[in-house]
Amino acid sequence: MARPTGGTRRPQTRPQQPKASQGDDLPGLAGKPGFAARKVAADILGNVVHKRHAIDAELDLTSGHSGFRALAPNDRALVRAIVGGSLRHRGEIAAILDRLLDRKIPEKTGRVVDILHIAITQMLYLDIPDSAAVNLAVDHAGADRRAKPYKGLVNGVLRRLGRERDEMTADLDGVRLNTPDWLFESWTETYGAETARAIAEAHSKEAAVDLSIKDDAAGWATRVGGTLVGNRSVRLGEKAIIDQLDGYAEGAWWVQDAAAALPARLLGDIAGKSVADLCAAPGGKTLQLAAAGAKVTAVDISRSRLKRVSDNLARTGMTAEIVAADLKTWEPKAPFDAILLDAPCGATGTIRRHPDLPWIKQAYDIGKLAEIQTELLDRALTWLKPGGLLVYCTCSLQPEEGEAQIAALLERNPAVSLEPVTAEDLGGLTTSISPEGYLRSLPHHPATADGSLTGLDGFFAARLRKN
């Protein structure tokens, strides 16, 4: 289930200071420069790692964390950077704290641990002076009723880190520490130790921004100062305000990782054909199918997420039938010429964009999702015309959600055959073709045929023919 697509400008609330949470003593601190942003960052980090809230939900400007929504834009950007860095380096920071602390901090101590993680992120991984990070962390601990008894500990630990940072960070294997055991062991078993490390290392860096182009990708690469990558995608060279880029208003492109754009292209020439995009939101693949001239039916269970699909269709001047329905009970009016099933999955291939995923997912989540994928795959094949193509894809690195899923399907359904992916299908990205003929992109894979740029979302896709 691919998560990124770009898009629409959302209404912003008027900046105001966030309300104090229960038990906080904020008088005199709420207006202190930088305090509100650090407090919100610690709150959001805690919600992600302790309550398993998705970071996207916390940072949503319409329905996310109230304190975050109340911040000025520059402070919101700071919060994103701090929380993102805290999650990418979570294992390293925990190891550093083990070296700094004589004993573990007890539970029920407010945000002490989260405050320390936020401060250490600033000190080690962001361009923020130690003094600012330490002083604001101490203020925050002092303002939290349950954390207040540990104010001195926060001060001492952080100042010691400032003095002994080289010693405290020496010999840390960040690549390994920042990946939970269940994930790293899974990747090692599936891809081998060397590739598992390469995947984990790729996750330590933010993903680039890729655009899917409606027409003339090479021309738009020049216009936006990007590079042609994958198969008709453009990678931006530096961060930009998306809705202010050339071509946004006229709907010439949309944000979509180069790997996420590949599965739809495996359907080939679909002009004039009826095509279903199942689990369609947030809509990048729907836009691709519509741009290719298909008669698209976009189905998703979430009405709110489908609103984003509709908005992007309107911006790009394209059309599709939008259906809000549960695929477990929905039935189409007629069979389709082709189907794209972007199944719900663990999304472990998108950790570069969503650094919360390793800390909010567990191994058992993958098993539950695999059961849903099997059910949806079997149902979707009944909606396909004889001779039609179905592309099954997931933005997951887990074999249970990819290779194993298709192997089991081919064994139980002799009416389905695999049509191997070719280098031509992927714009020459041969590294991302498995020996079986699947699309299997990994986060460290080349994004250009010549290997000059690397970095793709981890995607699996299989092209199936209904015989």
Side-chain angles (χ1 to χ4, degrees), residues 88 133 139 200 226 364 400 449 460:
R88 292 183 197 282
D139 287 342
Y364 67 80
E400 303 95 315
F460 171 88

Side-chain angles (χ1 to χ4, degrees), residues 2-3 47 107 140 172 256 279 294 304 325 405 421 429 441 456 462:
R3 295 169 67 173
N47 289 343
E107 295 182 2
H140 188 180
L172 288 178
Q256 184 180 30
C279 305
S304 60
Q405 196 67 251
V421 175
L429 299 182
S441 64
L456 293 167

Side-chain angles (χ1 to χ4, degrees), residues 263 265-268 389-392 406 410 416-422 425 437-439 460-465:
R265 292 173 183 144
L266 300 183
L267 291 174
L389 282 177
L390 182 147
V391 169
Y392 166 88
I406 298 305
L410 295 175
V416 177
S417 61
L418 179 70
E419 292 207 351
V421 175
T422 68
D425 292 325
Y438 301 134
L439 162 65
F460 171 88
R463 179 166 51 194
L464 306 166
R465 177 78 68 181

Side-chain angles (χ1 to χ4, degrees), residues 41-118:
D43 285 349
I44 291 176
L45 178 65
N47 289 343
V48 170
V49 299
H50 306 310
K51 300 179 181 179
R52 298 181 69 188
H53 290 186
I55 191 172
D56 283 355
E58 290 287 320
L59 300 180
D60 190 282
L61 288 178
T62 302
S63 58
H65 188 284
S66 59
F68 177 77
R69 289 184 283 124
L71 293 172
N74 60 324
D75 280 335
R76 290 201 296 266
L78 176 61
V79 169
R80 287 190 184 95
I82 294 174
V83 176
S86 298
L87 293 168
R88 292 183 197 282
H89 298 283
R90 183 163 183 78
E92 284 176 276
I93 294 171
I96 290 167
L97 281 173
D98 283 344
R99 294 180 174 185
L100 289 166
L101 294 167
D102 295 329
R103 60 182 66 87
K104 287 188 177 295
I105 297 173
E107 295 182 2
K108 299 182 180 180
T109 55
R111 290 289 192 202
V112 171
V113 175
D114 301 324
I115 291 168
L116 286 169
H117 274 253
I118 291 298

Side-chain angles (χ1 to χ4, degrees), residues 1 4 15 58 96 122 204 265 287 314 336 341 349 354 362 385:
M1 179 175 58
E58 290 287 320
I96 290 167
Q122 297 169 74
S204 68
R265 292 173 183 144
L287 298 175
F336 297 98
L341 173 58
H354 306 286
Q362 301 292 337
K385 292 179 181 179

Side-chain angles (χ1 to χ4, degrees), residues 386-406:
L389 282 177
L390 182 147
V391 169
Y392 166 88
C393 66
T394 58
C395 56
S396 173
L397 298 171
Q398 313 315 115
E400 303 95 315
E401 301 187 295
E403 293 86 348
Q405 196 67 251
I406 298 305

